[in-house]
């Protein structure tokens, strides 16, 4: 939740889990996307995320590396 707030994700972890459960209850296949390299996250936090998702019973996981676009709020945050 700390990272979600920092990057202005717009929802918390519990909301994600609620949505996931609703999809799974309807037998809808789910692929979860995670982003490595988010501001403030270290290796252990990234591994914690990967392990948590691996235990969710999802149908797939897509791992993205953080891509920061010039002149965005994320670029300004990272420059600080």
């Amino acid at each position: 939740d700390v990272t979600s707030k920092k990057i202005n994700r717009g929802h918390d972890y519990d909301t994600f889990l609620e949505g996931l459960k609703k999809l799974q209850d309807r037998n809808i296949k789910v692929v979860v996307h995670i982003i490595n390299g988010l501001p403030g996250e270290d290796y252990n936090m990234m591994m914690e995320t990967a392990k948590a998702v691996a235990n969710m019973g999802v149908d797939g996981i897509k791992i993205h590396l953080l891509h920061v676009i010039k002149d965005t709020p994320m670029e300004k945050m990272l420059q600080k």
Side-chain angles (χ1 to χ4, degrees):
D1 285 340
V2 172
T3 302
S4 291
K5 285 181 182 180
K6 186 181 283 188
I7 66 169
N8 196 27
R9 183 72 183 151
H11 62 79
D12 61 13
Y13 186 62
D14 286 337
T15 302
F16 163 76
L17 292 176
E18 289 171 21
L20 175 62
K21 183 174 181 341
K22 288 178 181 179
L23 292 167
Q24 290 175 326
D25 287 349
R26 290 165 178 79
N27 295 315
I28 297 172
K29 292 188 177 197
V30 178
V31 175
V32 173
H33 293 233
I34 61 176
I35 303 171
N36 284 338
L38 290 169
E41 290 198 339
D42 61 19
Y43 174 81
N44 291 328
M45 294 168 83
M46 289 184 269
M47 291 305 294
E48 181 181 328
T49 297
K51 289 175 184 176
V53 173
N55 291 316
M56 291 178 182
V58 297
D59 300 287
I61 302 170
K62 183 163 185 180
I63 302 171
H64 300 271
L65 299 177
L66 180 63
H67 176 79
V68 179
I69 298 172
K70 187 176 178 178
D71 298 324
T72 62
M74 178 75 69
E75 181 199 27
K76 291 177 181 88
M77 178 177 43
L78 292 174
Q79 286 177 348
K80 288 181 183 181

